[in-house]
Amino acid sequence: MSKPVVTRIAPSPTGFMHIGTARTALFNWLYARGRGGKFLLRIEDTDRARSTEDASAAILRGMAWLGLDFDGEAVSQFARSARHAEVAHQLLAEGKAYKCFASQDEIAAFREEARAAGKSTHYRSPWRDAPPESHPEGPHVIRIKAPRSGTTVICDEVQGPVTIQNEQLDDMILLRSDGTPVYMLAVVVDDHDMGVTHVIRGDDHLNNAARQMMIYEAMGWPLPVYAHIPLIYGPDGKKLSKRHGATGVEEYQQMGYPAAGMRNYLARLGWSHGDDEFFTDDQALEWFDIGAIGKSPARFDFKKLENLCGQHIAQTEDAALLHDLEAFRAISGEQPLSAAKISLFQAAMPQLKERAKTYVELIEKAEFILAERPIQPDEKAASALDIVSRGILKELTPHLQNASWSRTDLETLLNGFAEQKGTKFGKLAAPLRAALAGRSATPSVFDMMLVLGPDETIARIQDAAT
Ligand code: GLU
């Protein structure tokens, strides 16, 4: 039996949750959950100046919205600094790290000279092999003894083998002179202690991997499997940024994209399963594998996102969709729907969910349900309620009062009425939309009439006709 898979997402809480972080989290979640493994969350909050509570909270909200549940508690990297320091001291005790007493000025002078001589500016500390008796009292950092020759090969599951000449590695600092651990040490110690078996992350961390591997090797710890995924680009082939559109997970939530559609789209961003575009979570969990992650950066395609989201909305069960809509309305501070409105929504859902790409579009279509009498038409709808149209609506009312409320009967009635007025039903539609919904773009007039029922329909038409 191979070891159970353990993956993690390790965001730095320095702002909002980026869509790229969400994609990385999703890949790790799919990989672990699809294999009965564990998916962990570590907040990399060691940079005290930049980390904020708000940013950590945004990460937790983003994960919850996307349905990316993690095992156990979120781990704070900062809370584990004593453990990180302990590892540095162990390496020191084992002679795999050393105290370096060089001052900033000495290091700067070294670099200056190396640059002038056209040599590598990696600092070569004279303290690496200095006997402890020669150590002065005073401030020092702890550096790792990096290999000085040979090569390090990162066996990356996405990039293939990446070879680094060890001469390019420096004796990186593990502990600063104030005793605080550096980020690079923290990542390795945490991943080891958390039992992480697979590190799937952005390829902006590929160079870090070679340096992190030195620590694994020095500690005699098994390496994780590395998979560095290309970053997300905008449609123009440049790194995704605000210029292209929203980059924050919560912005997508607020724009009304369904989480299931978002997951589907993000999974397709850099990973593929044949020609499959639309798929469910269960399918993604079954299919996802590192081998099918592309080597070149994926481009964010807003149209494709919308299209997939529309398909997810259309395929969601009515009751589940209503639940999601309520949750969406709640984030913008809307009150829960009344029982009466809920039953109207239930009746209208099959029509509402067709062709709505976001919850915002769906709610827009449901305006005839959400609006209260007297309906306030918007500017465009108001222009359809001129004096002639109002007169026609007034004439129509008694016909509706005696009508049988079925689609065919209503169609026959309205078409017949239009003919009698020497016009077509199309001409009646605009004032009816205005009367029933206060809008010019609405679901079909018949759909609205059937959902609202005779009393409410007639009352709205009467309101508009007077
Ligand atoms: N904290 C890093 C980031 O937010 C991720 C580090 C890692 O995944 O190893 O980019």
Side-chain angles (χ1 to χ4, degrees), residues 79-276:
R80 292 178 36 83
S81 10
R83 167 68 181 146
H84 307 145
E86 179 184 295
V87 169
H89 284 292
Q90 184 180 333
L91 291 174
L92 184 65
E94 291 173 3
K96 291 169 180 158
Y98 62 95
K99 291 182 181 175
C100 172
F101 296 86
S103 68
Q104 290 298 331
D105 289 347
E106 283 168 69
I107 297 171
F110 173 93
R111 295 229 163 96
E112 189 81 3
E113 237 170 79
R115 208 169 290 123
K119 290 201 202 142
S120 159
T121 54
H122 281 322
Y123 183 55
R124 297 287 188 229
S125 171
W127 297 101
R128 178 166 160 133
D129 299 309
E133 315 80 79
S134 66
H135 286 181
E137 286 293 314
H140 60 271
V141 298
I142 294 180
R143 290 181 184 273
I144 193 164
K145 287 187 183 168
R148 291 260 160 111
S149 59
T151 55
T152 296
V153 182
I154 309 165
C155 298
D156 194 277
E157 297 280 311
V158 174
Q159 315 283 338
V162 179
T163 304
I164 312 271
Q165 299 300 322
N166 287 342
E167 285 154 32
Q168 288 168 20
L169 300 172
D170 62 348
D171 288 353
M172 75 176 171
I173 294 175
L174 299 177
L175 281 194
R176 301 184 188 90
S177 56
D178 63 1
T180 56
V182 299
Y183 166 71
M184 210 68 88
L185 172 65
V187 172
V188 173
V189 175
D190 289 347
D191 280 342
H192 170 266
D193 289 1
M194 291 163 75
V196 171
T197 58
H198 292 68
V199 170
I200 306 170
R201 62 185 175 192
D203 66 7
D204 48 338
H205 288 282
L206 182 62
N207 285 332
N208 290 345
R211 308 178 84 204
Q212 293 171 358
M213 281 166 69
M214 294 197 289
I215 305 174
Y216 280 101
E217 250 134 60
M219 288 300 290
W221 288 340
L223 287 173
V225 172
Y226 283 115
H228 287 94
I229 52 181
L231 300 183
I232 303 171
Y233 283 10
D236 59 359
K238 307 225 168 79
K239 203 176 139 190
L240 187 69
S241 74
K242 284 211 180 305
R243 268 185 311 113
H244 299 110
T247 51
V249 170
E250 285 187 287
E251 290 176 80
Y252 285 90
Q253 182 184 18
Q254 281 151 12
M255 286 188 282
Y257 289 97
M262 208 65 201
R263 281 194 295 275
N264 183 167
Y265 180 66
L266 289 177
R268 279 290 291 107
L269 210 46
W271 170 79
S272 56
H273 181 265
D275 293 330
D276 294 303

Side-chain angles (χ1 to χ4, degrees), residues 17-28 30 62 65-68 229-230 232 240 246-249 252 257-272 277 279 281 284 288 293 298-301 304-306 308-309 312:
M17 185 177 183
H18 194 271
I19 204 79
T21 306
R23 196 256 319 236
T24 307
L26 176 68
F27 280 17
N28 279 284
L30 286 172
W65 174 58
L66 284 169
L68 304 179
I229 52 181
I232 303 171
L240 187 69
T247 51
V249 170
Y252 285 90
Y257 289 97
M262 208 65 201
R263 281 194 295 275
N264 183 167
Y265 180 66
L266 289 177
R268 279 290 291 107
L269 210 46
W271 170 79
S272 56
E277 293 292 350
F279 42 79
D281 289 331
F288 186 82
I293 296 176
R299 294 188 185 202
F300 204 96
D301 180 341
K304 192 148 127 186
L305 168 67
E306 285 191 343
L308 287 174
C309 285
H312 278 275

Side-chain angles (χ1 to χ4, degrees), residues 24-41:
T24 307
L26 176 68
F27 280 17
N28 279 284
W29 181 84
L30 286 172
Y31 192 76
R33 293 274 182 261
R35 285 162 184 73
K38 286 205 155 94
F39 169 63
L40 310 176
L41 170 66

